[in-house]
Amino acid sequence: MAYAALSSLMYTLEQLFKPNQYFVCPSYTQQHVQSLYQNLSALQLFLDNTTTKDIETLKVVEKRIRNVVYEAEEKVDSSLRYIITLLADLTEMREETCKFFEEELVKVEKDVDSLRKEVVQIESNEHGSKSAELATTSSSPEKRTIEENTIVGMEDDFNIILDRLTAQIDELTVIPIFGMGGIGKTTLARKAYNDSYIHSRFDKHAWVTISEKFNQRQMLLEVASAITGSNQERSDDQLMEIVYRGLKGRRFLIVIDDIWSTEAWDQMQRIFPNDDNKSRILLTTRLKYVADYVNCPDFPPHSKSFLSLEDSWNLFTEKIFKKDPCPPLLEETGKHIVQQCQGLPLSVVVVAGLLGKMDPTHDNWKKVEENLNSFFGTVSERCQSILSLSYNYLPQYLKACFLYVGGFPEDREINVSKLIRLWIAEQFVKARNNKRLEVVAEEYLEELIDRSLILTGKQRANGRIETCKIHDLFRQLCLSEVHTENIVYYMNGNVLVSLLEVIHDQRRVIDLRKHEEKQVYINDITSLTRTFISMQSLDLDSPDVICSIVSQFKLLKVLDVLSVWYDFSGVIPELVHLRYVAARIEGGLSLAKSRNLQTIILVGFEQTELVHPLDIWRMTEIRHLDIEWPLYISNPLEAENNSVGEQPLFLNNLHTLTLQFSPFSAEIIRRTPNLKKLKMCEISDYPSIPDSLILLEELETLKIEVNSIDPSIFSGDVFPPNLKKLTLSNTKIPWEVMNLLSNLPNLEVLKGYYAFSGTDWTLNEDVVFRKLKHLLIRSKDLQRWEAAGSDNFPMLEKLILNWLFELEEIPESIGDIMTLKLIQIVDCSSAVENSAKRIRKEQQSFGNYELQVQITPMLGL
């Protein structure tokens, strides 16, 4: 994709502006870098601001930009790799190599400048034809949905909409329905619009379809025709007056179907009078932010959800067999086929249409079941005209992010933290309003969710999204688009060809397949590949195959082979452009040449003595660091002493850090002042940790795991005040000291695994965990727990008690916490279980049926 290619090359050039890059890019070369960067910025601005409605023309322009930028990046990256590799050993050749780089830059500069002039001409032509384009926009946009009259599985949705349409609210009320394309929004709105009872309540009715290309005149003509029955030619102003007067003083129902922007609503709403006569506007959209924008305070936007398997099956059988039941012989096979629709009504209807064209025999349906991938490829093609609108309407900065998600294995939830790190490494995420890139990336993900393109999966204890997923039909859309855009190449299946022959010209490769020795031979080439991610399991038959492939990709920027059980320590140091690396290693390695690393995840094969320090102190871009045996982070003081004339070494961009068995933890923490998340496991200098820990003013998440420690280390207010999530394991802090954690003003999640010691836990009135929402306690010695009242935990939502064998009872006042939604008991004594049941029973006697109690008894009981 052109936008992503521009971002990647611009990031590479940005690094050359930094003072420590002078040996690569001296002053006489910087002017060429600056000129090239400005031209690339102009191209990216063009893509950001393009308003063309001609998708095919835009794709042609993007392809031209993409190809030129890829060639430019190839020259720049190859030259820089040559310089970095050579100068590491032969500093006397610096002048010659830098001159070579300058010559390559001049060539690239000319190519990109020529491209910029082409784009300027295109932009000029577009502005000149914009008014003509608006004038010639189709006056009757085709509705790209499969209209259905049935609302199988939507009865609850229909009743909700019915209640809102008939509610005793006098003022004009907008009722938005939102959800992904094909989920049944229009079907639901049509059912309500055509309902005889609803129809009789309103004097005037109109249905207008907007679609992604808002045409004000067409909208006015449709509403005016429905209101007055007249199709006379009028100006827009006259039509607006006709509509307003036709609705004035009358109770009306207007359906605005498939609206895509808040701007379209702003232009429409002024023609609808508010006479406090219970008039209603029913509106459908795929975009949550549009639904939120038009929403009235009385009712939240209605989210149209997926069908259950039972409802999907009922919809399917009604389409094929009408009122007749499905033959029992077909039911098992049919349900398996329908299950693949994942609850999307559009997919169910298309599947029913395809199967309805063949004889309903067991053999026919069995053939479909045995070839589901091929069959659902056809289903996907039938649905693409509807679903592709959601992709085409995306802003440029979200398109590559969305397509990237399609590269993960189907039917597998995607870890959001990993996805965000990959997006950042790929340069898909741009700085916004001085926010951290991780925060901006989360906003990107929320935008994709609000646009009904990505689905939420699991949530973390603090309510943030832990995993996400993508519907299979959208995944198929991604597969189709990435083939054209060359965003990601997915290797799947067992094609007996040379892997390098297949992927040598692919920019990003996600490997989903198993490998055999006969599939690979190594060609002497330098691939264009910038990303290689293996999704294979750890039992890969030939892990050396993957390592051989990776060794050929000299210009890699993203490498994730953590799932491959093989030593990559010999390959990684030569990949000088790496921004992201996740791999297994057997010994030590040097990353001295990889100054652009943002994410480092390195894991050993087994626990050994700590004999391999890793120097990361000149990696100013590092954002996420997680290393295990046999590595440990080197002594920053020693690295600083070896840096003659350099500034003190601080890693100001590091936000996530895991310290495991490190002998220099306190000093490391002092030099990473902007940490957001810190995990410490069995470090040796715990006594000096508190003085460093309190300096981390930005720290939000802290996890401490130990086998033995002096509890007095954490006896005071040693935790930074901004902490929101705290997990402690085996710290053995006395319960009275644990109460001091209530002084943390922002603490929302507290998990203690044998973290607190003592038989009695007493909470006085002055111990108040003001923002705590999630509390987990695992303790074998706690016997008595006394609380002053519900005010000890005024915001608690979830209480998890684990392995409490001696506890006599849960304080009854816990049930009085107004916000409490769940008490979860796991492997506790019968006394604890009975106590939880009594709390639930008492709350139900007060009319509180919201509180859930989940009990998992100990095995063997």
Side-chain angles (χ1 to χ4, degrees), residues 316 319-320 349-360 365 375:
F316 171 79
K319 290 299 167 189
I320 288 191
V349 171
V350 171
V351 167
L354 291 172
L355 289 182
K357 293 178 181 178
M358 57 181 72
D359 292 335
W365 284 25
F375 178 75

Side-chain angles (χ1 to χ4, degrees), residues 102-119:
E102 182 185 18
E103 292 171 357
E104 289 294 283
L105 272 177
V106 170
K107 297 176 185 176
V108 169
E109 189 182 358
K110 289 180 179 178
D111 291 341
V112 174
D113 186 57
S114 176
L115 173 63
R116 181 190 61 80
K117 292 175 181 176
E118 290 181 35
V119 170

